[in-house]
Amino acid sequence: NAGVMQNPRHLVRRRGQEARLRCSPMKGHSHVYWYRQLPEEGLKFMVYLQKENIIDESGMPKERFSAEFPKEGPSILRIQQVVRGDSAAYFCASSPPGVSSGNTIYFGEGSWLTVV
Amino acid sequence: AQSVTQLGSHVSVSEGALVLLRCNYSSSVPPYLFWYVQYPNQGLQLLLKYTSAATLVKGINGFEAEFKKSETSFHLTKPSAHMSDAAEYFCAVVSGSGGYQKVTFGIGTKLQVIP
């Protein structure tokens, strides 16, 4: 059973370009979370999605950032018009369907975005 | 609202010494608590989790944690540190309500193991 798959692992973008980060959850998982990790900082929650629904986007910047988790295909975190401050590691995590607070949340290996 | 406090962003121990990483939480509902480990340039790997069964939880790599409700703590310990334990450790509190599982992480503790 493959784990949470993220791609690309490393992405370099020039200021003003768009970045798209993809996340395929573990098989059978329908909950996806995106977190951002800045150097010397902890994991900051960005958004929580279920299939075709954004459940909580309270951690998403108001502008330039968007996320989706379509019925088919991976979840995508999209950053438009990137700036240097967007340089960070972005982690995706998934958990099984059904709300049970004991469900383990499994993380992908991360996507490292560098804006030059 | 829920929160996690990890005391000590950097901890250094000698190889073979006791590892103690502190985590205190606050939660308005009975919490579920997790410890994750992150090695450089990698994702987070689950070490152990508390889900209201036994208060002393054993995890991978010789780590364990004890849930103490009276102290709202879930400290991570290992009797004897190994060089391979050098990594960053994150404590997380999870609670669910209204069909939503909310996860809050601490800021992380970097563990250095000195030969």
Side-chain angles (χ1 to χ4, degrees):
Chain A
N1 187 13
V4 179
M5 304 299 292
Q6 288 189 248
N7 69 84
R9 290 294 312 279
H10 298 276
L11 181 64
V12 179
R13 285 286 178 265
R14 296 187 184 280
R15 282 178 293 172
Q17 290 185 318
E18 178 179 288
R20 284 192 179 215
L21 310 177
R22 295 173 186 76
C23 170
S24 296
M26 287 182 71
K27 187 177 181 180
H29 286 192
S30 58
H31 297 205
V32 167
Y33 307 77
W34 284 95
Y35 290 83
R36 178 164 62 176
Q37 186 177 37
L38 292 164
E40 301 303 317
E41 295 187 22
L43 285 158
K44 302 295 185 185
F45 168 78
M46 298 183 75
V47 63
Y48 167 49
L49 310 106
Q50 296 177 14
K51 283 283 187 181
E52 300 184 276
N53 284 307
I54 297 174
I55 305 302
D56 182 350
E57 56 182 347
S58 59
M60 289 279 271
K62 299 298 181 200
E63 298 177 346
R64 301 188 298 107
F65 285 72
S66 62
E68 63 177 9
F69 188 17
K71 186 177 181 180
E72 301 290 339
S75 175
I76 295 176
L77 179 66
R78 182 183 179 202
I79 311 172
Q80 296 178 289
Q81 300 174 339
V82 296
V83 301
R84 287 216 172 120
D86 297 333
S87 297
Y90 292 85
F91 288 96
C92 172
S94 73
S95 66
V99 176
S100 168
S101 293
N103 284 341
T104 298
I105 297 169
Y106 295 88
F107 281 81
E109 292 292 299
S111 291
W112 271 257
L113 172 65
T114 302
V115 180
V116 297
Chain B
Q2 60 188 33
S3 65
V4 175
T5 302
Q6 289 186 243
L7 293 175
S9 58
H10 292 79
V11 170
S12 293
V13 301
S14 298
E15 190 175 15
L18 171 71
V19 176
L20 170 60
L21 305 182
R22 298 179 186 275
C23 173
N24 289 87
Y25 69 92
S26 68
S27 177
S28 57
V29 297
Y32 294 90
L33 297 156
F34 295 73
W35 275 99
Y36 286 86
V37 60
Q38 184 183 29
Y39 298 100
N41 299 316
Q42 294 187 24
L44 276 71
Q45 179 182 0
L46 180 70
L47 269 180
L48 50 81
K49 67 178 183 181
Y50 166 74
T51 56
S52 76
T55 56
L56 181 62
V57 182
K58 295 187 183 299
I60 62 171
N61 301 339
F63 284 92
E64 62 183 35
E66 186 172 8
F67 173 70
K68 292 186 177 180
K69 185 177 179 179
S70 61
E71 299 177 8
T72 60
S73 68
F74 190 56
H75 302 329
L76 182 70
T77 60
K78 182 174 180 177
S80 176
H82 192 272
M83 295 300 295
S84 61
D85 295 328
E88 189 160 18
Y89 293 80
F90 291 92
C91 182
V93 60
V94 180
S95 62
S97 62
Y100 171 25
Q101 180 167 264
K102 186 172 179 69
V103 186
T104 303
F105 283 89
I107 199 165
T109 298
K110 285 188 177 176
L111 176 65
Q112 180 186 22
V113 181
I114 302 167

